[in-house]
Amino acid sequence: MSRILITGGNGMVGKHLQELIPNGIFISSKDGDLTSNEYVQWIMSSYTPDIVVHLAAKVGGIKDNINNPVDYINDNILINTNVLKYSHKYGVKRFIGMLSTCAYPDVVSNYPMKEEDLLLGSPSKSNIGYGYSKRCLSLQIDAYNQQYDTYYNYIIPCNLYSEYDNFENENKMHFITSLLYKIKNTKDNQINLFGDGTPLRQFMYAGDLARIIKRTIDENITDSFNIAYPENMSIDEMAKRTLNALGKPYQIAYSNPNLNGQIRKDVSIEKFKTIFPDFQFTSFEEGVRKVYDKINQQ
């Protein structure tokens, strides 16, 4: 059997993968610092994996990204460089890197964005450090394939949500999880959100991404591709559909439109559908109910 090492193994997608790949080697920030050259070399030399699924990244909310872009670009480029360098040095046959739609340009002339649009312009200023670091990972993976004839690839997922989100730190929760957390804890049946509700987003249940990663391994898929929930909804529509799915007739209030972020960043999944034509996504309503049930158990 192949030895599969998963970085970021304690994050949302990593925890879903633990259910699908129980014999995998899952490492997280609690085990060590991937910005450390010495630590990553030790990991790869000790486990000598055949396959690496690279999920680890420095992540945070929009305000933290705006305030600390240096931290996001420096830490993530160090992490990606170290993991790729020592994966190759120690003979990793398959490397699957995780990007983000944040790597795409802030604005393009045609939506949804296709894989070939990735380098057309600068990422959004609201997460420019993180966006460029993810874009650099795509370039690094392509460079290894060009120089060393490797079969490394990357997946570009849309925004995610899951019952395995970081419930301990509200500032690091993804939008849907944060929304559900606010729904649970409202004292006056009103939900307060940043921005004005107009930005468009694709949000996907993280378990769906984990299933695709597993199939990418099992079916030996080496193409790089976008993956996103097929619906592109405004923040306001998403919030209202979430309330409806939970049977909560609450009011929604918005503040600080300067925190809207990108107006839209939807990506095409046409290539994805040619690779996985039979894949069925978890519906938005089913996904938010799963996460809300978990939050209610906290």
Side-chain angles (χ1 to χ4, degrees), residues 117-133:
D117 297 333
L118 187 61
L119 306 179
L120 288 182
S122 173
S124 169
K125 290 183 179 179
S126 62
N127 51 23
I128 197 162
Y130 179 76
Y132 265 122
S133 71

Side-chain angles (χ1 to χ4, degrees), residues 142-179:
D142 289 342
Y144 272 89
N145 291 338
Q146 178 180 333
Q147 186 166 337
Y148 297 113
D149 294 321
T150 49
Y151 292 93
Y152 295 172
N153 67 321
Y154 51 87
I155 297 173
I156 313 175
C158 67
N159 298 81
L160 303 173
Y161 65 96
S162 167
E163 64 269 36
Y164 295 131
D165 204 347
N166 187 344
F167 294 113
E168 297 176 1
N169 188 339
E170 191 172 356
N171 292 325
K172 291 195 174 182
M173 287 183 190
H174 294 71
F175 170 72
I176 294 294
T177 317
S178 177
L179 171 64

